[in-house]
Amino acid sequence: MRHNKIGLFFGSFNPVHNGHLILANYLVEYADLDHVWFVISPHNPFKEKKSLLTDHHRRDMLEVAIKDDPRFEVCDIEFFMPQPSYTIDTLVRLSERYPNTDFYLICGMDNLTNFKKWKNYQLILDNYHLLVYPRKGYEGGELMNHNSVQVVDAPIIEISSTFIRKARSENKDVRHFMPEKAYKYMIDMHFYEY
């Protein structure tokens, strides 16, 4: 029986932007995935929490952004796990819940460079595939040739959530940087207006 191939795109999506969707679109079409799940992180252990919108607002924005695309799904499993959440714990829990699924961890070249700092990184490499997309200024390091690592030739996207938050705080109109419905949600809710 063929297993489902699901790409897991982890992030805080604070807010979701077109770069996220372009990358997910590329991976589902060119990396032979059935779906991409956007796994919303409540709190990345490497990031400050104070600039994060509440979990449910980020989930709602993401849901309105992708709901018309059947290839994409929002996954909020980490909302119900101990925090801070670690990727290996989430992967194990998803694998238990969906035993007939092959999960592919989507990450940037910057993450691959620092991958050995991740909790139980060897377990991830032993049991899962990594789909690694390029990031400017990062070469990937010693794990580039690991047999669990597949580097994909995705376009390099220069949009960031940080840029959008800063632009909003300066009252700039950045409607074309985000999916239309997510942008409207952000404006209607007055998010990031510091």
Side-chain angles (χ1 to χ4, degrees):
M1 187 178 105
R2 182 186 178 276
H3 281 207
N4 240 350
K5 292 174 71 173
I6 305 290
L8 298 175
F9 191 174
F10 286 78
S12 49
F13 304 108
N14 187 40
V16 60
H17 56 68
N18 288 336
H20 295 131
L21 299 192
I22 290 166
L23 186 58
N25 189 151
Y26 182 91
L27 289 164
V28 83
E29 294 299 327
Y30 290 90
D32 194 31
L33 298 173
D34 296 307
H35 296 93
V36 169
W37 291 1
F38 292 79
V39 185
I40 310 173
S41 308
H43 177 216
N44 177 333
F46 297 110
K47 285 187 178 172
E48 283 288 322
K49 198 167 184 174
K50 66 179 185 310
S51 63
L52 272 187
L53 280 187
T54 61
D55 296 346
H56 73 276
H57 282 315
R58 288 181 292 122
R59 182 186 59 215
D60 292 351
M61 245 191 309
L62 195 47
E63 281 176 347
V64 299
I66 68 168
K67 73 175 182 187
D68 296 330
D69 194 327
R71 301 169 302 170
F72 300 156
E73 195 171 309
V74 174
C75 176
D76 63 3
I77 190 170
E78 291 193 346
F79 290 7
F80 309 99
M81 293 174 61
Q83 293 185 31
S85 46
Y86 294 94
T87 303
I88 183 60
D89 301 331
T90 307
L91 288 168
V92 168
R93 188 161 297 191
L94 285 170
S95 296
E96 288 168 353
R97 193 175 288 182
Y98 303 97
N100 297 320
T101 300
D102 291 331
F103 288 108
Y104 289 72
L105 176 60
I106 296 167
C107 68
M109 198 68 81
D110 52 332
N111 285 317
L112 187 64
T113 304
N114 299 307
F115 199 69
K116 288 192 167 184
K117 294 179 181 170
W118 289 29
K119 179 184 174 187
N120 298 346
Y121 79 92
Q122 194 60 56
L123 263 180
I124 298 175
L125 290 172
D126 291 345
N127 294 288
Y128 300 93
H129 305 278
L130 271 65
L131 290 174
V132 182
Y133 58 90
R135 293 294 290 263
K136 255 190 184 162
Y138 292 93
E139 299 299 320
E142 60 191 287
L143 294 175
M144 278 284 285
N145 299 316
H146 194 282
N147 58 4
S148 294
V149 173
Q150 179 187 344
V151 177
V152 294
D153 191 25
I156 294 177
I157 312 296
E158 293 292 320
I159 307 170
S160 73
S161 298
T162 306
F163 166 79
I164 291 168
R165 291 195 306 272
K166 184 171 188 303
R168 286 292 301 135
S169 73
E170 296 166 352
N171 205 27
K172 304 286 189 200
D173 183 334
V174 287
R175 72 182 75 185
H176 297 299
F177 287 79
M178 289 175 67
E180 185 179 354
K181 290 174 181 170
Y183 184 78
K184 182 179 186 317
Y185 186 102
M186 177 180 75
I187 296 299
D188 290 348
M189 297 294 285
H190 302 282
F191 293 151
Y192 313 115
E193 293 176 4
Y194 305 118

